[in-house]
Amino acid sequence: MSGSSDGMDEIVQEFLVESHENLDQLDRDFVELERSPGSRDLLASVFRTIHTIKGTSGFLSFGNLEKVTHVGENLLAQLRDGDRVLDAATTDVLLRMVDAVRELLALIEATGGDADGDVDGVVDAVKAVLDGTSAPAVEPEPVAIDPEPVAIDPEPEPVAVEPEREPVVAPVATAGSVPAEPAGDEPATEQKKRSAVDGSIRVDVDVLENLMQLVGELVLSRNQILQLAAESAEADLVRSAHRLDLISSSLQEAVMKTRMQPMDYLWAKLPRVVRDLSAQCGKEVDLVMHGRETELDRTLLDAVKDPLTHLVRNAVDHGIERPGAREQAGKPRRGTLTLRAYHESGQVVMEIGDDGKGLDPDAIGRKAVDKGLVSAGELAAMSRRQVLDLIFRPGFSTAEAVTNVSGRGVGMDVVRTNIEKIGGSVDLTSTPGHGTVCRVTIPLTLAIIPALIVRQGAERYAIPQANLLELVRMNPEDATKGVEYVAGVPVHRLRGRLLPLLDLGGQLGVESVGRGDAATIAVLRSDTDEFGLVVDEVVETQEIVVKPLGAALTSLQAFAGAAVMGDGRIALILDVPGLAAAGNVASTSASITSTLREEAGLGGADSDLRSLLVVRTEGARNVAVPLEKVARLEEVEVTALEHVGSTTVIQYRGDLLPIVEPDGGYSSYGGYGVPGQGEAPAQESLVVPTVTIVVYQHGARLVGLRVAEIVDIVEVPLVLSPIGARAGSLGSLVVNGNITDVLDVAALAAPFAADEADAYLEDSRAR
Amino acid sequence: MPVEQLSAPPSGAATDRDTVQYCTFWVDDLYLGIDALMVQEVLRNPGITPVPLAPPAIRGLINLRGQIVTAVDLGARLGRTPTERRMNVVVRAAEGSVSLLVDRIADVVEVPRSGHEAVPTTLTGVARGQLSATCPLADSLLLILDVARVTAVRPEGEGSR
């Protein structure tokens, strides 16, 4: 991989910085040791330090460094375990060992390797002490007789017992100073280039966090001053404000940069994960990465680490097929997992894509119904996207069997929760047979988020943009129509969908001021629930600095934090999932359905209740289809309608879907749907008109029903009046005060009954 | 109730001082004090942003030079009716700064350590749990607040709306 050498350099750099820190600690420990030579704690600390350096040097194949630290470690082990008492000779040789380590580190930093270092002298000296063959300067304590050597080479070389320091120091020093000298336009006093230790410091992330907050404040103050300056005629003030503007922008950038790390920090581990995992699953997977240099705030990187790993595992485990299956599907044996990261409008986008089998919405739907996550009725009303979204519901897993890769209780719901916790979002697109792309969008930084500022009563509140889908403004004349109350539950019809409404004032117990009859609805999304939040006024969108609330307020689920606004006042940040939970949005949606049933005057016995999908036909007639027959609702462009013989069809999931019109039998412009009829001609509009198709299932066959509008889903006792009974209609009943025909699906689908239709489809394919 | 425990110095106070300095103030007719070392600053009339749904004792949030501080009506904490109190005594509590709203600021009073006495058993009600000691002074009785308890407003403890 191209970046591997860079990666290695970085590891060496880190190792050097860390080792130098460790050596400083070592010096302190030795000083302490002189005062209390018997301290086990200190000896253990010294041992750990040397052990760490040894371990890493072995890993990075710095042979000489490993050699030195290895013998040093042996000696220290004896000291630590009390098998040896620290005497002058031991101290001396230990210090020599530390010096040698230091020299070797300098050598590594200068040349990238330690092969040129001569360590035999020190090593022998340490070994001599270990073996007790060195002539101790001072007589060691008699206690220290321990004949047990700990893993030393059996051949001590007594010849080299007392080598002087020169052999160690001299070559290292020269080797160290020479290659470090660049072309040399630096002043002579600065002989060495900045070493890794001098060039970087470790900073507590909290300190940076604080710095970031302060810069946030500065940016807000700057905004205020810029505003003042804009209104002022004082040229000096304007100039100063302009300079302040420039400086604070650069400062903000610089501070943000201190916390930025490239995506590769996370990705570097993935090739190994993918390799192991694909071997485990018997798959062949290539990992392709784009945008590994894309930078992201450190705390966010940490937060997306687990979700990312999970998504990658998912792609290998569930997405990409085994080599055999791939060949059968006409794909190359090796699957490709593509990671892509890039910046987009102030956010970081990370895509995890595979070219595997894709997600099967039908299988997902079935599974969700089996697990009781949704009812068959709810499923039928869902768009394809919503169906895919089901995999984010808690308790969902598409794995047929629990493998040791998946199935450890962490599902996509956790992935989504973790991403949303940091203000991000997860999105799935999947093409059956071609693969799945999971798109994770995360803010660049946590501290400053874009927000929509709304007013309710006298105060302003901030709604994170991440939760905002759209704004709906209703004029006074529309407001009464736009907000309907279904047994006290306010709802809004948004493009044919019923959107439960929450009133922010009502939720917070704050009176509305100056709303009049108009209503502003912020359409928000929390998990998979969408709802409208009715507010007094939308003020502006602004970048805000998120501050936590005090301990006494953290239990308020309506608020996620607070932000200081440009005028110094505080605005509370609304917690959208918290509001949704407090307002029972999920169950509100459910109760709307049941309330509609009651309003229809059909409270009756629950036992006979049937769910009906009520639609309006092109002929402005209300008709109902039993919901359990409905497979899906689709919106297709009118141009997708094609004709085969006298039948209208659309291409649907690799098959042909026959389309019928419920008005077919008797409407004034009847006949099996001629496209365009009853449809406003598409003149002057670039938008291709669409038609709504109710896909329903009859036996093994899908049939599309072309309708003008989806009205509602109601639950009613199916007591049919025979009055409306005729061809194509089972009878009629009254729903919400409207006479509604219940379609005879069987009759409508009859021309397309399984075998006939199959034959017909065979026929059409042959053409 | 054991008297020795109650006469212990307020939490957070250094134990090796002979005297303790108290920042004193009035809430209704109560003369109260907080160890001066725990007082960060005193503010008059900062803008308070109300927090809907918060316990009644919490009057809102103040912006203390970019730091967001919760403002607690000290009177309400002591079982009095919440009213408009204008002075903010910002104290350093364990979980960050908290502003205590009081009626009137009084002097800083230095009390010898031996001058602390237990909270009188006759004092009952909400206030009792929030005090750590009393100091009988020449002309008044100073009630020493237990800062940790006063600032620990929890909706469940307060009975949220």
Side-chain angles (χ1 to χ4, degrees):
Chain A
M1 204 152 290
S2 64
S4 70
S5 69
D6 292 350
M8 188 51 105
D9 280 354
E10 243 168 65
I11 294 172
V12 172
Q13 282 292 320
E14 260 177 47
F15 165 66
L16 288 172
V17 172
E18 195 180 282
S19 300
H20 277 292
E21 282 176 8
N22 284 337
L23 286 177
D24 291 345
Q25 177 65 41
L26 211 56
D27 283 346
R28 285 195 291 275
D29 287 345
F30 272 124
V31 173
E32 282 285 308
L33 260 182
E34 278 190 340
R35 266 188 245 158
S36 47
S39 165
R40 289 281 174 86
D41 284 351
L42 285 170
L43 283 168
S45 164
V46 173
F47 176 81
R48 267 199 307 277
T49 308
I50 292 298
H51 181 76
T52 308
I53 297 178
K54 179 193 124 176
T56 321
S57 60
F59 170 66
L60 296 172
S61 56
F62 294 135
N64 279 330
L65 186 56
E66 190 182 9
K67 228 192 280 178
V68 174
T69 45
H70 179 70
V71 287
E73 191 189 47
N74 288 338
L75 185 55
L76 284 162
Q78 290 190 4
L79 289 166
R80 181 195 57 177
D81 299 341
D83 297 337
R84 177 186 288 273
V85 169
L86 192 69
D87 55 28
T90 319
T91 312
D92 182 50
V93 76
L94 277 177
L95 286 173
R96 277 185 63 184
M97 188 259 312
V98 172
D99 285 343
V101 169
R102 218 181 274 273
E103 309 287 358
L104 287 174
L105 288 174
L107 183 63
I108 290 167
E109 178 152 17
T111 65
D114 70 342
D116 299 341
D118 180 1
V119 294
D120 294 344
V122 199
V123 171
D124 293 340
V126 178
K127 279 181 185 166
V129 172
L130 270 171
D131 298 344
T133 51
S134 75
V138 184
E139 193 67 5
E141 306 268 359
V143 198
I145 317 159
D146 196 320
E148 198 170 70
V150 183
I152 0 153
D153 289 324
E155 339 124 52
E157 289 171 82
V159 196
V161 168
E162 284 300 331
E164 289 317 304
R165 287 184 180 208
E166 284 81 56
V168 183
V169 179
V172 171
T174 42
S177 56
V178 174
E181 208 77 62
D185 44 3
E186 285 170 343
T189 43
E190 264 199 42
Q191 287 173 340
K192 283 166 83 182
K193 74 169 196 204
R194 222 165 48 163
S195 71
V197 195
D198 302 333
S200 68
I201 50 168
R202 292 192 169 203
V203 183
D204 194 328
V205 178
D206 286 347
V207 174
L208 288 178
E209 183 72 31
N210 189 22
L211 197 56
M212 190 80 169
Q213 295 280 354
L214 289 172
V215 169
E217 296 307 324
L218 181 68
V219 168
L220 293 180
S221 312
R222 172 203 65 184
N223 292 351
Q224 239 174 310
I225 287 176
L226 283 180
Q227 210 168 357
L228 287 176
E231 293 159 7
S232 161
E234 191 128 359
D236 280 348
L237 174 64
V238 174
R239 253 199 311 279
S240 305
H242 185 62
R243 209 159 48 233
L244 176 68
D245 185 17
L246 288 178
I247 294 170
S248 45
S249 295
S250 334
L251 184 61
Q252 186 182 6
E253 211 169 294
V255 171
M256 280 181 54
K257 223 173 188 167
T258 58
R259 296 159 48 101
M260 290 296 194
Q261 276 193 307
M263 198 57 96
D264 205 38
Y265 170 80
L266 286 186
W267 286 4
K269 298 177 187 72
L270 292 177
R272 178 70 194 276
V273 171
V274 171
R275 188 191 150 278
D276 290 356
L277 199 60
S278 40
Q280 213 174 326
C281 304
K283 295 175 180 177
E284 294 174 19
V285 181
D286 286 327
L287 180 63
V288 182
M289 300 180 179
H290 299 289
R292 50 200 304 160
E293 69 290 336
T294 310
E295 287 194 323
L296 186 58
D297 192 290
R298 172 62 195 264
T299 47
L300 289 169
L301 272 176
D302 286 339
V304 294
K305 189 167 149 199
D306 289 346
L308 172 70
T309 314
H310 188 83
L311 290 173
V312 166
R313 281 171 170 273
N314 255 354
V316 176
D317 192 18
H318 306 319
I320 294 174
E321 316 90 323
R322 283 171 205 283
R326 290 183 61 87
E327 276 178 343
Q328 272 183 2
K331 293 198 264 191
R333 278 179 68 85
R334 297 185 69 84
T336 309
L337 181 63
T338 311
L339 294 183
R340 185 172 279 116
Y342 52 93
H343 287 147
E344 189 184 75
S345 57
Q347 293 193 306
V348 177
V349 180
M350 188 163 66
E351 288 175 358
I352 298 102
D354 64 63
D355 64 346
K357 58 179 182 285
L359 291 166
D360 179 4
D362 296 328
I364 291 173
R366 268 200 308 278
K367 190 117 188 168
V369 173
D370 286 350
K371 291 191 178 272
L373 297 175
V374 288
S375 70
E378 287 172 298
L379 181 67
M382 283 181 171
S383 68
R384 189 183 141 80
R385 199 194 130 107
Q386 283 171 318
V387 173
L388 287 185
D389 247 18
L390 283 174
I391 70 165
F392 290 110
R393 295 269 177 105
F396 191 93
S397 168
T398 40
E400 290 301 329
V402 170
T403 66
N404 60 346
V405 177
S406 70
R408 65 180 83 72
V410 186
M412 291 294 276
D413 56 318
V414 181
V415 170
R416 172 167 276 182
T417 314
N418 284 340
I419 297 286
E420 287 186 347
K421 216 180 273 170
I422 54 170
S425 60
V426 191
D427 209 18
L428 261 185
T429 46
S430 183
T431 321
H434 293 281
T436 308
V437 178
C438 193
R439 203 178 131 101
V440 179
T441 312
I442 13 187
L444 259 184
T445 162
L446 260 190
I448 301 177
I449 61 163
L452 176 78
I453 313 295
V454 299
R455 185 183 58 77
Q456 180 66 42
E459 300 296 333
R460 285 164 298 178
Y461 298 89
I463 302 172
Q465 292 271 16
N467 294 109
L468 185 69
L469 294 178
E470 61 180 301
L471 288 171
V472 180
R473 165 87 184 161
M474 282 181 298
N475 296 323
E477 54 269 27
D478 303 337
T480 39
K481 260 191 292 171
V483 181
E484 293 169 67
Y485 288 83
V486 184
V489 184
V491 294
H492 173 66
R493 284 171 205 257
L494 183 66
R495 293 185 291 276
R497 233 158 16 99
L498 283 180
L499 190 69
L501 292 182
L502 289 183
D503 187 273
L504 183 57
Q507 288 297 310
L508 302 182
V510 173
E511 301 239 323
S512 292
V513 175
R515 189 187 284 177
D517 293 329
T520 306
I521 301 172
V523 182
L524 306 177
R525 184 160 86 171
S526 144
D527 285 340
T528 47
D529 298 319
E530 287 176 14
F531 66 100
L533 190 69
V534 185
V535 299
D536 280 358
E537 188 189 5
V538 170
V539 183
E540 58 180 336
T541 58
Q542 200 181 320
E543 303 229 306
I544 57 169
V545 181
V546 180
K547 307 242 164 163
L549 290 174
L553 297 172
T554 42
S555 58
L556 294 179
Q557 58 174 354
F559 307 115
V564 180
M565 307 302 288
D567 58 4
R569 298 271 296 173
I570 293 168
L572 287 158
I573 302 167
L574 297 177
D575 185 71
V576 173
L579 280 176
N584 275 324
V585 168
S587 60
T588 307
S589 310
S591 78
I592 289 170
T593 318
S594 63
T595 319
L596 283 173
R597 163 180 60 92
E598 281 168 30
E599 290 218 334
L602 299 160
D606 271 19
S607 53
D608 293 317
L609 288 180
R610 296 281 295 275
S611 289
L612 295 178
L613 175 75
V614 181
V615 298
R616 187 164 292 126
T617 66
E618 302 285 357
R621 192 164 60 99
N622 272 8
V623 298
V625 188
L627 198 54
E628 72 267 14
K629 298 263 187 196
V630 177
R632 193 142 294 114
L633 302 179
E634 297 285 350
E635 190 106 336
V636 299
E637 292 179 352
V638 82
T639 48
L641 295 171
E642 293 173 59
H643 300 279
V644 181
S646 61
T647 309
T648 309
V649 295
I650 59 169
Q651 294 181 22
Y652 188 67
R653 299 186 186 188
D655 214 335
L656 288 180
L657 180 74
I659 306 293
V660 297
E661 284 215 47
D663 291 328
Y666 43 85
S667 81
S668 52
Y669 52 83
Y672 283 118
V674 181
Q677 276 197 6
E679 198 75 52
Q683 334 154 321
E684 289 171 22
S685 170
L686 289 174
V687 182
V688 185
T690 58
V691 285
T692 307
I693 307 285
V694 178
V695 182
Y696 64 86
Q697 192 139 22
H698 181 68
R701 186 128 303 277
L702 293 176
V703 180
L705 187 69
R706 182 182 169 186
V707 300
E709 193 190 341
I710 308 291
V711 179
D712 247 336
I713 291 172
V714 295
E715 257 181 71
V716 293
L718 203 57
V719 183
L720 295 176
S721 149
I723 295 169
R726 55 189 176 266
S729 172
L730 293 170
S732 57
L733 45 75
V734 178
V735 178
N736 295 345
N738 290 319
I739 294 180
T740 305
D741 285 335
V742 178
L743 286 187
D744 183 352
V745 176
L748 283 171
F752 310 103
D755 24 338
E756 286 170 54
D758 282 343
Y760 151 83
L761 283 173
E762 286 296 301
D763 181 39
S764 67
R765 277 204 193 99
R767 287 179 208 185
Chain B
M1 195 162 285
V3 170
E4 314 83 71
Q5 259 182 25
L6 290 168
S7 59
S11 50
T15 45
D16 53 356
R17 287 177 287 155
D18 291 335
T19 58
V20 186
Q21 284 192 330
Y22 288 109
C23 180
T24 68
F25 40 81
W26 292 85
V27 171
D28 292 347
D29 53 346
L30 297 175
Y31 183 47
L32 300 158
I34 289 180
D35 187 338
L37 291 181
M38 300 191 74
V39 176
Q40 186 179 328
E41 60 188 288
V42 174
L43 298 169
R44 178 193 297 274
N45 267 346
I48 294 186
T49 303
V51 179
L53 312 176
I58 293 185
R59 294 293 304 282
L61 302 172
I62 61 175
N63 170 15
L64 188 65
R65 295 180 299 276
Q67 187 191 3
I68 290 181
V69 174
T70 312
V72 175
D73 183 332
L74 186 56
R77 288 297 292 146
L78 297 175
R80 307 295 170 108
T81 338
T83 55
E84 191 74 7
R85 297 178 212 278
R86 299 189 171 277
M87 296 304 297
N88 287 254
V89 181
V90 181
V91 296
R92 296 186 189 91
E95 292 150 321
S97 300
V98 173
S99 170
L100 298 175
L101 296 178
V102 303
D103 290 330
R104 190 155 53 84
I105 300 289
D107 295 334
V108 172
V109 175
E110 193 156 355
V111 180
R113 198 156 282 282
S114 56
H116 290 87
E117 283 182 21
V119 182
T121 46
T122 46
L123 185 62
T124 54
V126 187
R128 186 185 175 88
Q130 321 265 358
L131 300 178
S132 60
T134 58
C135 298
L137 303 180
D139 48 357
S140 54
L141 179 67
L142 178 63
L143 305 174
I144 308 300
L145 286 171
D146 184 331
V147 171
R149 291 203 191 163
V150 168
T151 54
V153 186
R154 290 285 182 280
E156 56 270 24
E158 282 287 307
S160 63
R161 275 181 278 167

